[in-house]
Amino acid sequence: MNSSRAGKESRRGFLRTYVFSTNHKVVGIQYFFLSLFAVVVGMTLSWIMRIHLAWGAGGISGFQNLFGLNAPGGVLTPEYYLSLLTLHGTIMIFFVLTTAPQNAFGSYFLPLQIGAEETAFPVLNMLSFWTTLIALGVLLSTLFVSDGPPISGWTAYPPLSAVGRDAGPGLAAGQNLWIISLGIFCIGAMMSALNFIVTFIDMRCQGMSLMRVPLTCWAWFITAILILLSFAVLLAAAILLLLDRNAGTSFFVPANLLVSGKIDPHAGGSPLLWQHLFWFFGHPEVYIAILPGFGIVSHLITCFSRKPILGYRVILGCMLAIGFLSFVVWGHHMFVSGMSPFSGFLFSIPTIIISLPSTIVTLLWLGTLWGGRLHFSTAMMFCLGFISTFITGGLSGVLLAHPAIDSYLHATYFVVGHFHMVMGVSAIFGIFAATYFWFPKMFGRLMSERLGAIHFGLTFVGVYCIFLPMHVLGMEGSPRRYAMLTDDFLQSTVGMHRFITIAALATGAVQLVFLFNLFWSMFKGKRAGANPWNATSLEWSIDSPAPFMSFHGELPVVCCGPYEYGDGTEERDFVMQSNSVGSGDQ
C-alpha cells in the first residue's frame, strides 16, 4: 500500500508535489517559510514604531513618501502608530509564535518521531496551511483599504472595536478584515490541532509506548489540545464581534454609549464579556507559544549534554499541569477592569501556582546540564538562551501576579518587557534552536556553526539591551501605547527609548546573518549525514534530507526510550530508539 502511494505521489505534477502537497514534510516547510515571512513583516513594523518613538518628533525622512497622509511631514499620526501596533502584535502572536514552533516543526517532525509515515489526516494538514496563509493575506490587506488597519490593538477591546467608523480610523473595513482574518486563522489552527491529536494517539509505531515518546511530541500534543479548546472560544467571540458590528446585535456594546456626539443604537451588551472570552483564549496562548519550546529544549539539551534527561516523567507532568492551569488564570489579565478584590485574589493564587511547574522544569534542565559533556553547538546555545530569558521574564511575571502591583504596572512598559522576554524572545530562541538542530534533516546540509555563534552571541546581548530597560521604564511609570514622548513627564525617558531603539535596530540587523546562513546553507552548506548530532530519536535513523516516503514503507520498531545517552564509548555513547532501520553515519 505504501509503495503504491509512493508511485502515485511520484506521478503528481509540481503543484501537487510542492504547492498543494499533503506530505507532512512539505507542509511543515511551507509553515516554516510562512512564519519567516511573517516575522520579517512584524519586525519591520516594530522598527518603524521604534524609530518614530525615538526620533519621530522632528519628522523622519521618507516616512511621508511611505505612508502618505498617515505621516504628514514625516511624523506618523497617533492613529497610524496604533494601526501598526495592531498589525505587529497580531502578526507576531498568531503567525509567528503560534505557527512556527507548533505547525512548522510539529508538522514535519511529529510523524517522524513517533515512527509514522504520514499524519492521520494529510488533506486536513494541507488545508490548515492554506487556511492560515489566507488568514495572513486577509490581515495584510488591511494595509490597502481606505481606512487602514484597525487601531484597537491585538486584543481588540470593545466598545472601540465594535462600534464602527465613528470611533476612529481603521475601525470600518479594516476592523472587519481583522476579525475575519482572526476567524479564518482559528479554523486553520483547530484543523491542525485535531490532526496532531489523532496522529499522536493513533499513529505511533510498534514499541512506541507513551513513556517512550520524545518530549517534543508530548509538547506538540499538549499544545494541540490547548489550541483546540482555546481557539474555539476565540472563534465564537470573533463571530459575535462581527455580528455586533454588522448585524445590529449587542453582545459587547452597552446601552447609551456616546460615540462622536451620537448615541450608539446598541443596547444591553457587556465589553467585559469580550475580555473574559478573549483572555480565556489569551492565557493558554502564552503556553501555546512556549510549550513547544519546552519540548525542544528538553530534547536538545539531553543530546548536547550526552546525558539522559533528568526527570522525564516529572517534566511531562509539569507540562500537563501547565496546560491545565493555563485555563484558570485568565482573570489576571483583567485586574484593572474593575473586578472585585476577592475575584482578583482568586485569580492571583493559581497565577502564582503556575510558576511552580515552570520552575521545576527549569531546575530539571539545569540538573540535566550538570555533569554532562556539554557540546556548545549553536542549537545548544539557543537552548541555554531560552532558559536564561525564560527565567528573566518569568521573575517579572511573578510580580504581575499580584493585583496591587499589577494595577500600577499594567499600562506601562514593564508589561511590554515582561511578555516580550518570556513569550516572544524565549519562544523565538526555541525556534532558532530547532532550526539549527533540524536543518540537516529538512534540507540535507548543515548550517554554518561560525555564523550561528555570531548570530546567537549578538542576539542574546541585543534582546537584553532591548527588554531589560523596558522594565526600568515601566517602574518609572512610562506608559505603553503612547505614540509620542512629548509630555513633560516623559522627556526624561527619551534617552532610554533611543538606546532601546538602537539596540532593536542592531539586533534586527543581526538577523540578516541568520537569513544569509539559512539560504546560503541550503545550497552551499556542508552535506549532512543521516545523524550528524549522534541523536537517538527516529528522525535521525533515516537519510538527510528526509525522503518523500520517510521509512520507505517499513515502519520502525522502537526498543527503548528517546534519551539513552551516556552508555558505551565516547565515540558511540547513545542507543537509538530503533536499530531496525539504518542508524546513520555516526
Side-chain angles (χ1 to χ4, degrees):
M1 183 175 68
N2 288 321
S3 57
S4 169
R5 183 173 169 228
K8 289 180 182 176
E9 296 285 356
S10 66
R11 290 193 295 274
R12 290 179 171 181
F14 178 84
L15 287 178
R16 289 301 308 275
T17 303
Y18 298 107
V19 181
F20 299 105
S21 175
T22 57
N23 187 287
H24 70 97
K25 296 182 285 291
V26 176
V27 173
I29 290 174
Q30 288 175 325
Y31 267 121
F32 179 82
F33 283 108
L34 181 149
S35 296
L36 190 65
F37 170 76
V39 77
V40 170
V41 174
M43 198 167 64
T44 303
L45 294 174
S46 71
W47 277 357
I48 294 169
M49 290 185 292
R50 287 305 321 176
I51 292 171
H52 170 77
L53 268 179
W55 297 288
I60 304 296
S61 176
F63 270 19
Q64 187 164 5
N65 295 331
L66 278 174
F67 306 115
L69 296 176
N70 295 309
V75 181
L76 290 181
T77 62
E79 293 82 4
Y80 201 67
Y81 175 88
L82 293 175
S83 296
L84 298 183
L85 192 69
T86 300
L87 274 188
H88 167 73
T90 308
I91 288 172
M92 296 301 288
I93 293 287
F94 293 101
F95 297 96
V96 179
L97 300 179
T98 302
T99 300
Q102 177 72 7
N103 296 105
F105 294 110
S107 292
Y108 199 109
F109 289 103
L110 174 63
L112 292 183
Q113 291 198 332
I114 63 173
E117 198 67 80
E118 193 37 275
T119 61
F121 305 117
V123 174
L124 200 64
N125 204 25
M126 176 193 70
L127 290 176
S128 67
F129 165 75
W130 284 101
T131 306
T132 306
L133 183 63
I134 291 170
L136 179 60
V138 173
L139 179 67
L140 293 179
S141 71
T142 60
L143 286 165
F144 305 102
V145 296
S146 59
D147 62 338
I151 62 172
S152 55
W154 80 278
T155 55
Y157 279 2
L160 181 63
S161 62
V163 293
R165 68 174 67 247
D166 289 342
L171 297 174
Q175 187 70 67
N176 280 334
L177 289 171
W178 184 90
I179 298 169
I180 291 169
S181 168
L182 198 68
I184 296 172
F185 183 89
C186 291
I187 293 169
M190 288 190 291
M191 286 196 292
S192 176
L194 185 65
N195 192 26
F196 273 47
I197 292 169
V198 177
T199 301
F200 179 90
I201 293 174
D202 203 40
M203 304 287 285
R204 300 193 312 277
C205 66
Q206 186 179 350
M208 183 64 81
S209 62
L210 290 177
M211 291 300 105
R212 287 178 173 175
V213 174
L215 287 167
T216 40
C217 299
W218 273 111
W220 289 319
F221 174 66
I222 296 168
T223 303
I225 295 173
L226 299 188
I227 289 174
L228 199 61
L229 296 177
S230 63
F231 275 85
V233 174
L234 182 63
L235 176 60
I239 292 171
L240 298 184
L241 183 59
L242 201 62
L243 290 174
D244 268 10
R245 293 175 51 81
N246 299 289
T249 59
S250 297
F251 293 103
F252 305 122
V253 186
N256 301 319
L257 185 68
L258 187 65
V259 180
S260 300
K262 296 185 295 185
I263 297 292
D264 200 80
H266 293 274
S270 168
L272 282 180
L273 174 61
W274 169 267
Q275 292 194 34
H276 281 289
L277 294 174
F278 185 87
W279 288 116
F280 186 81
F281 143 80
H283 201 77
E285 168 62 25
V286 173
Y287 296 100
I288 288 168
I290 204 70
L291 271 180
F294 274 41
I296 291 165
V297 171
S298 302
H299 194 74
L300 268 62
I301 63 169
T302 183
C303 173
F304 292 116
S305 300
R306 314 312 296 172
K307 279 180 63 183
I309 189 77
L310 180 62
Y312 173 97
R313 290 171 185 260
V314 179
I315 291 177
L316 172 57
C318 288
M319 289 198 296
L320 290 168
I322 289 170
F324 170 75
L325 288 170
S326 69
F327 282 105
V328 297
V329 297
W330 79 91
H332 74 231
H333 295 277
M334 300 167 59
F335 283 154
V336 296
S337 67
M339 69 167 52
S340 73
F342 181 69
S343 298
F345 173 76
L346 289 183
F347 280 115
S348 176
I349 296 300
T351 303
I352 295 171
I353 290 175
I354 203 172
S355 65
L356 294 178
S358 302
T359 304
I360 293 170
V361 171
T362 305
L363 292 174
L364 290 171
W365 288 336
L366 297 178
T368 302
L369 294 170
W370 184 264
R373 290 188 290 112
L374 304 185
H375 176 203
F376 290 100
S377 66
T378 305
M380 176 64 155
M381 288 191 287
F382 272 108
C383 288
L384 299 178
F386 177 103
I387 296 171
S388 170
T389 55
F390 185 71
I391 292 173
T392 304
L395 289 175
S396 57
V398 174
L399 291 176
L400 294 172
H402 299 272
I405 300 175
D406 181 79
S407 297
Y408 173 74
L409 295 173
H410 186 84
T412 73
Y413 266 92
F414 190 93
V415 173
V416 180
H418 159 68
F419 78 74
H420 273 85
M421 187 64 89
V422 74
M423 183 179 174
V425 176
S426 297
I428 286 179
F429 273 26
I431 295 169
F432 280 138
T435 302
Y436 282 99
F437 183 69
W438 279 314
F439 186 88
K441 192 55 61 183
M442 297 170 77
F443 301 103
R445 295 176 184 269
L446 292 161
M447 294 182 74
S448 166
E449 283 291 306
R450 179 174 297 179
L451 291 178
I454 295 170
H455 174 221
F456 167 75
L458 295 177
T459 302
F460 184 74
V461 173
V463 296
Y464 272 97
C465 288
I466 298 169
F467 298 115
L468 274 189
M470 287 188 181
H471 290 79
V472 178
L473 285 173
M475 287 187 283
E476 289 181 349
S478 183
R480 55 180 166 140
R481 305 192 188 99
Y482 271 34
M484 298 289 281
L485 306 173
T486 50
D487 294 312
D488 289 344
F489 77 102
L490 292 174
Q491 286 302 305
S492 62
T493 67
V494 171
M496 193 170 292
H497 272 289
R498 286 180 176 169
F499 173 79
I500 291 172
T501 300
I502 292 169
L505 293 173
T507 307
V510 171
Q511 306 319 306
L512 297 177
V513 176
F514 168 74
L515 291 176
F516 172 79
N517 194 2
L518 183 79
F519 289 107
W520 182 86
S521 299
M522 282 183 195
F523 305 101
K524 300 292 184 180
K526 181 183 175 184
R527 290 194 181 279
N531 190 5
W533 311 118
N534 287 338
T536 58
S537 45
L538 293 180
E539 76 271 27
W540 302 107
S541 65
I542 60 176
D543 293 336
S544 299
F548 192 85
M549 295 294 290
S550 306
F551 299 103
H552 301 291
E554 297 180 13
L555 297 183
V557 178
V558 169
C559 57
C560 60
Y563 304 117
E564 302 289 335
Y565 292 101
D567 292 332
T569 64
E570 187 166 334
E571 289 74 25
R572 187 180 174 89
D573 60 348
F574 63 100
V575 179
M576 298 199 72
Q577 281 198 278
S578 170
N579 287 318
S580 60
V581 186
S583 56
D585 59 347
Q586 311 88 21

